[in-house]
Amino acid sequence: MKKRITIYNLIATAVLVLTLTGCNDFFDVKPQNVTIEDDFWNEKADVDQMIGGLYTQLQSTDVVKRMMVWGEFRSDNVTAGNDIDKDNSLQKVFKEDIDASNGYTTWTPFYYIINSCNTIIEHAPAVAATDPAFSESELNADIAEASAIRDLCYFYLIRTFRDVPYTTTAYADDNQVMDLPATKFDDVLDSLILDLESVKNNAVKAYPSYTATKAKYQTGRITQDAIHAMLCDMYLWKKDYAKCIEYADLVINSMKQRAKDRGYYNITSVDDQERVSGFPLVLDQLSNTTYGNAYNTIFGDGNSMESIFELTYMRDDNMPSNGAANDFYMRSKGSVVTGFAAPSTYVGGTEGQDNQLFSKYDGRYYENMRDGKAIAKGCYSSVSVDYSKGVKDVDVSQSGFYAEGKVKCNWIIYRLSDVMLMKAEALTALMSNAAEMSDQDKSYMNQAFSLVNAVNKRSMCENVLKDTLKATDYTTKEKIENLVMSERQRELMFEGKRWYDLVCRSRRDGNTQYLREQTLMKFTTNTSAISGKLAKMDYIYWPYNIDELKVNKNLIQNPAFGSGEDSNISKTK
């Protein structure tokens, strides 16, 4: 019988690495299987190959699918699309009928990357000691890069499963003990933060000078900005809101300097700068009444000025494609068809009409979806949203859809608007619950609103309606907090963020009321049973896969999913 691979039988002797092409472009590479022998770790090029392999593993279909499913698909944004019967595990996710036998409860692809990172961190110092061309600063930068990727993987795991086995030791043979118990969420999070704090200053500040062809270097690899964005996110989950804001400001100020260095402020008018409050956001306006520029730049071209870290897929047909987006989102097969996932009716609504989430003046509605029925974000290269005939007759033109099997859209992990809205969320969390707001509370609220408004206005049809959001409508902590959540939902829709946002909110609130109310928006049947499940804090995390429980007796199943001894474990104890 074929043995299922779990964290506990990871094979460190065979990992994906990269062979650099003649043009020495880090991303213009083809994956290749290479066995790690004792004589492999001889020179810096060996370490470079292994680090390149980390990005190949991150780009794999299994990893990106889990980023999508874990971070988005249980939320109010997404429901079942076409041919969902071809993926039974996903079908059950959309029904909130998850058990320990579900295929998306497997975490092996992430632990493969973690083990590869641990292996690099363990071997690289010895290589530097023998290769005179491998400087100490380069060694430290490589360790920082591998550490950040490892910490990113663990961050995905704890946000999904809560408590997970945690190790920084490389597994290379079967004699090592691998049946690790799960480490508590808070302990893992503290370890990740401590690790990133210790390596952040060693990371590369910036890769080669910016040009259109080299943008992928700056945004497609881990940099100091990427580590600062990760720390901003982690401190938000830790509920250390002052530190979250501190790192958000580091990222924002760095992005402003980058934009200044590239002449951004020389080409945008004073009015444009005021519209986004001076933040270097890509403006969506193409002409007086036509929008779509932000989409075309951020998702169509990729590696944009406001990107911090994204997984870069080369456009060459011979290079790997984004298999997750190909299966789950829109793709072209003769005529344009949808994938296994689709927008929920709640977020799709009716085109050209205000719904509970999108204003009819918001270009993101037309950019994220196709007719409100299919997830189109990232699946095509160009859009034009023409309001010249008014909002009741918007002319939307989407073009450049990727062919089936050839979806090349990048997968964005962090971008500027995400960090801005994390800062806004932290500011609202700092507000007191007093009936009458203090001056400090008002300051937090005004800062949060300014951040939200900047993100919101860049996508609004200004010539039809200048200010969709009114500060006077958000005068309590609850209202401004919900506004931030809604803006994150609009801005980052289908980017693997929404479910994690809801879980983070639940941890802050100490209950699942907001998560439950929002998630139930997409259901029309079985709502009482689903509401009962989602009322439990344990249930908003995922169960451990049943095969992990069989091989590691030190793992104790999430109590919301029973014992895990068989596949029928949906009943709680």
Side-chain angles (χ1 to χ4, degrees), residues 278-379:
F279 294 102
L281 296 170
V282 178
L283 294 171
D284 207 31
Q285 197 164 8
L286 285 165
S287 66
N288 193 39
T289 58
T290 308
Y291 290 73
N293 182 63
Y295 176 89
N296 299 341
T297 303
I298 298 168
F299 301 101
D301 298 335
N303 303 108
S304 72
M305 177 186 68
E306 66 178 72
S307 176
I308 299 169
F309 178 52
E310 60 189 76
L311 305 181
T312 301
Y313 294 87
M314 303 302 293
R315 296 327 194 233
D316 185 340
D317 282 349
N318 295 319
M319 300 303 297
S321 299
N322 188 336
N326 179 81
D327 289 349
F328 290 160
Y329 294 172
M330 261 183 99
R331 60 200 186 277
S332 179
K333 185 180 181 182
S335 59
V336 175
V337 297
T338 62
F340 295 160
S344 69
T345 303
Y346 165 57
V347 302
T350 302
E351 186 171 316
Q353 301 295 320
D354 281 330
N355 62 23
Q356 296 180 73
L357 185 62
F358 283 102
S359 161
K360 55 193 173 185
Y361 307 101
D362 193 336
R364 291 171 297 187
Y365 175 89
Y366 308 99
E367 296 162 359
N368 289 344
M369 297 171 275
R370 189 173 178 89
D371 302 324
K373 306 298 182 185
I375 298 173
K377 195 172 196 177
C379 298

Side-chain angles (χ1 to χ4, degrees), residues 249-284:
D249 285 338
L250 281 176
V251 173
I252 291 168
N253 291 334
S254 176
M255 300 294 277
K256 285 182 176 180
Q257 184 60 51
R258 187 201 303 182
K260 182 179 179 181
D261 293 343
R262 297 176 188 177
Y264 169 80
Y265 294 106
N266 297 330
I267 61 174
T268 56
S269 67
V270 173
D271 286 344
D272 286 340
Q273 291 181 36
E274 287 181 351
R275 184 178 185 184
V276 291
S277 301
F279 294 102
L281 296 170
V282 178
L283 294 171
D284 207 31

Side-chain angles (χ1 to χ4, degrees), residues 159 237 499-507 515 540-541:
R159 286 180 294 174
W237 280 75
W499 183 255
Y500 288 148
D501 285 350
L502 294 172
V503 173
C504 186
R505 169 75 181 260
S506 295
R507 290 177 62 85
L515 176 147
I540 66 179
Y541 301 96

Side-chain angles (χ1 to χ4, degrees), residues 124-286:
V127 176
T130 59
D131 184 354
F134 197 177
S135 69
E136 182 179 1
S137 62
E138 289 173 322
L139 169 64
N140 290 337
D142 286 345
I143 291 176
E145 190 168 9
S147 297
I149 292 174
R150 175 183 65 191
D151 296 336
L152 179 66
C153 289
Y154 272 126
F155 193 39
Y156 271 100
L157 289 170
I158 61 172
R159 286 180 294 174
T160 305
F161 297 97
R162 188 170 51 189
D163 307 335
V164 300
Y166 177 77
T167 181
T168 58
T169 300
Y171 287 106
D173 61 66
D174 292 337
N175 294 322
Q176 292 172 270
V177 176
M178 300 184 190
D179 53 343
L180 300 174
T183 301
K184 293 295 184 182
F185 176 100
D186 289 333
D187 293 336
V188 176
L189 183 60
D190 286 344
S191 295
L192 303 183
I193 290 173
L194 182 64
D195 191 34
L196 289 177
E197 291 279 13
S198 71
V199 302
K200 63 183 182 183
N201 293 332
N202 296 331
V204 171
K205 176 67 176 176
Y207 283 100
S209 300
Y210 177 82
T211 66
T213 57
K214 291 185 177 180
K216 57 183 175 290
Y217 278 96
Q218 181 63 18
T219 60
R221 293 185 68 175
I222 293 292
T223 61
Q224 286 185 17
D225 283 343
I227 290 177
H228 292 162
M230 290 170 60
L231 283 166
C232 174
D233 204 355
M234 290 178 185
Y235 277 118
L236 183 65
W237 280 75
K238 185 178 169 60
K239 305 177 193 175
D240 188 338
Y241 303 118
K243 293 294 287 186
C244 172
I245 292 168
E246 175 186 328
Y247 277 101
D249 285 338
L250 281 176
V251 173
I252 291 168
N253 291 334
S254 176
M255 300 294 277
K256 285 182 176 180
Q257 184 60 51
R258 187 201 303 182
K260 182 179 179 181
D261 293 343
R262 297 176 188 177
Y264 169 80
Y265 294 106
N266 297 330
I267 61 174
T268 56
S269 67
V270 173
D271 286 344
D272 286 340
Q273 291 181 36
E274 287 181 351
R275 184 178 185 184
V276 291
S277 301
F279 294 102
L281 296 170
V282 178
L283 294 171
D284 207 31
Q285 197 164 8
L286 285 165

